[in-house]
Amino acid sequence: MIFIILLILPLNAHAIFQKVYKGYQSSDRLQAILVEEKIYEADYKLGSEKYNWSLNAGYQNKNSFLQSLFSFQSQKSLTQTTNVGLEKSSYKFGTFSLNHQVTQYDLSEWSGGSLSTYNTDEVYEYRNSLNYTYEILNRSNEVDWDLVQAQYVTDKVSHSLKLQADFLDFFQAYSQAKLNIILDGLYKEFEKRAQRRVNQVARRVRDGLSRKLELDQARISLLNQQETILTNKNDLRQKVALIEEIIGIKIPESEYQKLVWTYKKKDKFPSVLRPRKFPELKRLEALNKITDLNLVKVDEQINSSLSLNLSYTINAFNSSRDEALTDAMGAGNRDEKVVALNYTLPLGFDKTRSLKEKLLFQRNKNELEKKNLKGDLEVNSNILLENLNRLDKAISLNGKKIKAANHSIKEHQKLYLRGQVSFEELLRAEETYINARISRVNLLSLYDLSLAQLAFIGGNIKKYLDNYTD
């Protein structure tokens, strides 16, 4: 579809990049990276929903005829128990559970005196329990929640860096292809100039105005240009094929001649000139956060634990299923209240201490890497800014050099026709002009790539490409 658009719509010199850029933004390569963000979000959701509501249910059929301390308990009993419960744990607020249980007793094997309360062999018990457990001292679960959040932040920062790196890779691939395409156009232009020079010298040789040696020199110059075209063509196809693979479309050669390289003052991109923050540092800060939390978790693992357990249970027995259910739902006065504290003191910390020592080394390593990286990024950004200033001046000087070289060729051509300069001098003037034109394209390429690298360091590469034109 994008290929059809490229063929139908007339592309002016400033629109080609944005068309290719749109192709990149919809490419499978970029979409594969964007999908990773959904994976990180799913991981975060899984972590945040680790302690969700759970439903449990069970059934038990028991035939018991064991000897017991009390004679009435030693009688054969058949029971069927069904239970259903809800439980909800959390990182910060403990565990809550609700359980409903019904047991059907078959006491037909019991002696009659043992069932003076009931006039039937079947008795039903309904039991409802409400339980709550909370950890008072140990905060391991809370640290787990902080780790889930810290990991999500780290994943997002890492994904953002990977995304920006791919934007930069795309732009570098495009710039390389563009450079070879424009050089190809220049080399063909220089070939035509060389061909005209051969024709001119050939006429002068026939007229006896020039030596045959000059014709040989003109032909060698032409052959050199043709050889340069072929050499560049190989590199050109490789670079263009790479960008075509990235965007998933074929760029017709008819569009090559529309590519130009305009000089864009760096002042037009204020957001990339002085990076206020470095995303790479943010990634290391996020990794340090995870290490710090793991250190806290290790400390919690060797700390004592004090858990509070609260429970409330109400039950009811009745030969009538409905009445037993009604009593157990609150109408009866049979209940049990439990408040319990459970204290645990871990023993043996050798393994935990080793883990903590490892984490401390890791944190120290992260801090050193952060310090070194910050210095490198600041140096690189300063160097890029200095390079841009030098390239600014070089591009300005190059423009003057091209103008002077072009004027020099015209003057050498006049003087050569008058026999006042040698053909070698004319060729040197031509080479000076050619080198100046090639140098300009290379300078503009370096200039744009330096801006892109500076934008990447500051996390603004997408903003730079959104506003970039050829």
Side-chain angles (χ1 to χ4, degrees):
M1 182 62 185
I2 299 173
F3 174 63
I4 296 173
I5 293 174
L6 281 169
L7 290 178
I8 296 176
L9 296 180
L11 296 180
N12 59 55
H14 298 289
I16 294 178
F17 172 76
Q18 288 301 326
K19 291 292 182 183
V20 175
Y21 183 43
K22 287 181 181 177
Y24 163 71
Q25 289 178 306
S26 61
S27 66
D28 291 340
R29 164 174 160 162
L30 183 60
Q31 296 307 311
I33 298 176
L34 292 174
V35 166
E36 291 180 7
E37 186 175 11
K38 302 297 182 183
I39 296 174
Y40 298 140
E41 290 175 356
D43 285 339
Y44 176 70
K45 189 175 181 181
L46 285 172
S48 63
E49 295 177 353
K50 177 181 178 180
Y51 297 110
N52 213 332
W53 284 99
S54 63
L55 174 68
N56 58 80
Y59 171 79
Q60 181 187 68
N61 189 308
K62 184 170 69 172
N63 186 333
S64 177
F65 194 25
L66 296 175
Q67 189 173 12
S68 181
L69 181 63
F70 301 103
S71 60
F72 75 91
Q73 291 178 329
S74 300
Q75 302 186 71
K76 186 175 182 179
S77 302
L78 301 175
T79 60
Q80 296 183 60
T81 302
T82 305
N83 68 280
V84 62
L86 279 175
E87 183 174 289
K88 176 69 169 71
S89 295
S90 66
Y91 285 104
K92 295 183 178 182
F93 307 111
T95 301
F96 168 84
S97 65
L98 177 66
N99 191 68
H100 175 71
Q101 176 180 298
V102 56
T103 302
Q104 178 183 355
Y105 294 90
D106 181 351
L107 308 179
S108 57
E109 300 293 330
W110 283 34
S111 61
S114 301
L115 282 174
S116 57
T117 307
Y118 305 103
N119 56 6
T120 177
D121 292 337
E122 287 190 350
V123 179
Y124 297 92
E125 178 193 14
Y126 278 84
R127 178 187 293 258
N128 293 312
S129 299
L130 183 65
N131 301 280
Y132 177 70
T133 302
Y134 180 74
E135 173 57 47
I136 298 174
L137 295 180
N138 198 285
R139 320 311 293 173
S140 293
N141 271 5
E142 292 186 24
V143 176
D144 284 340
W145 170 238
D146 292 337
L147 279 168
V148 169
Q149 294 178 302
Q151 186 62 55
Y152 181 54
V153 171
T154 303
D155 289 341
K156 287 182 67 176
V157 173
S158 298
H159 176 261
S160 176
L161 285 170
K162 184 176 181 179
L163 190 62
Q164 291 183 61
D166 199 70
F167 272 90
L168 179 61
D169 288 344
F170 155 74
F171 183 72
Q172 289 174 331
Y174 173 80
S175 295
Q176 288 297 320
K178 176 181 171 182
L179 177 62
N180 284 103
I181 289 173
I182 292 180
L183 286 176
D184 182 66
L186 285 177
Y187 295 148
K188 289 178 178 177
E189 178 188 333
F190 301 149
E191 180 192 23
K192 291 178 182 178
R193 295 171 70 97
Q195 184 64 61
R196 286 197 300 268
R197 197 160 50 245
V198 168
N199 296 337
Q200 182 188 53
V201 175
R203 287 194 301 269
R204 287 177 61 82
V205 170
R206 286 195 303 268
D207 295 339
L209 300 175
S210 294
R211 295 173 298 171
K212 190 176 180 181
L213 175 63
E214 294 174 356
L215 180 59
D216 290 338
Q217 290 175 318
R219 285 172 175 166
I220 290 173
S221 177
L222 174 61
L223 291 171
N224 285 337
Q225 290 302 325
Q226 291 173 340
E227 184 180 16
T228 301
I229 290 173
L230 289 175
T231 303
N232 180 68
K233 197 74 174 180
N234 292 334
D235 202 23
L236 183 153
R237 282 309 309 154
Q238 181 181 4
K239 298 298 192 304
V240 172
L242 177 60
I243 198 68
E244 288 175 340
E245 175 64 24
I246 291 174
I247 64 178
I249 60 174
K250 181 80 172 176
I251 302 176
E253 289 192 22
S254 59
E255 301 298 335
Y256 289 0
Q257 60 185 352
K258 297 178 182 180
L259 271 175
V260 295
W261 218 313
T262 57
Y263 169 59
K264 296 165 282 296
K265 290 185 177 181
K266 61 181 181 297
D267 297 339
K268 292 185 178 180
F269 303 93
S271 61
V272 308
L273 294 181
R274 287 290 179 186
R276 297 181 179 179
K277 58 181 180 179
F278 301 117
E280 279 283 356
L281 292 181
K282 190 175 181 182
R283 183 184 68 86
L284 286 180
E285 289 169 358
L287 288 174
N288 273 346
K289 178 69 174 176
I290 292 178
T291 303
D292 288 342
L293 288 171
N294 279 321
L295 282 169
V296 174
K297 186 171 182 179
V298 169
D299 286 336
E300 291 299 326
Q301 287 173 344
I302 62 177
N303 283 341
S304 56
S305 168
L306 179 63
S307 61
L308 171 66
N309 299 281
L310 304 175
S311 70
Y312 177 75
T313 304
I314 185 171
N315 79 328
F317 282 90
N318 204 296
S319 57
S320 168
R321 182 192 296 267
D322 294 338
E323 289 183 15
L325 174 61
T326 300
D327 291 343
M329 295 304 292
N333 58 0
R334 301 286 186 171
D335 61 5
E336 177 185 73
K337 306 176 185 70
V338 178
V339 177
L341 289 172
N342 184 36
Y343 180 76
T344 304
L345 179 64
L347 299 175
F349 304 135
D350 291 342
K351 181 179 178 180
T352 307
R353 287 197 184 100
S354 297
L355 176 59
K356 185 174 182 179
E357 185 178 9
K358 176 185 175 182
L359 290 170
L360 286 171
F361 283 133
Q362 182 63 53
R363 196 190 190 291
N364 186 43
K365 178 176 178 289
N366 291 345
E367 282 296 330
L368 291 173
E369 287 182 352
K370 179 183 173 183
K371 183 178 179 180
N372 293 332
L373 181 60
K374 183 179 180 181
D376 290 344
L377 291 172
E378 288 176 348
V379 168
N380 288 341
S381 62
N382 289 333
I383 289 175
L384 285 169
L385 283 170
E386 292 173 6
N387 287 345
L388 285 169
N389 291 330
R390 282 191 288 267
L391 287 169
D392 255 334
K393 295 177 181 178
I395 290 170
S396 177
L397 291 172
N398 177 264
K400 296 175 182 178
K401 185 177 180 180
I402 290 175
K403 185 177 180 181
N406 189 39
H407 182 265
S408 176
I409 288 176
K410 293 177 181 178
E411 291 301 315
H412 273 79
Q413 181 70 22
K414 292 177 184 177
L415 294 173
Y416 170 70
L417 294 176
R418 295 173 188 169
Q420 294 177 315
V421 296
S422 66
F423 188 70
E424 289 85 353
E425 290 176 297
L426 176 61
L427 285 180
R428 282 198 296 271
E430 180 76 22
E431 289 172 358
T432 300
Y433 176 72
I434 289 173
N435 291 332
R437 292 281 303 277
I438 293 173
S439 177
R440 182 170 185 81
V441 178
N442 285 319
L443 285 171
L444 290 172
S445 173
L446 286 172
Y447 187 83
D448 285 2
L449 285 173
S450 295
L451 276 173
Q453 289 166 356
L454 193 58
F456 171 73
I457 288 176
N460 297 307
I461 183 65
K462 187 177 185 304
K463 185 183 292 185
Y464 171 72
L465 297 186
D466 288 343
N467 295 287
Y468 181 87
T469 56
D470 288 307

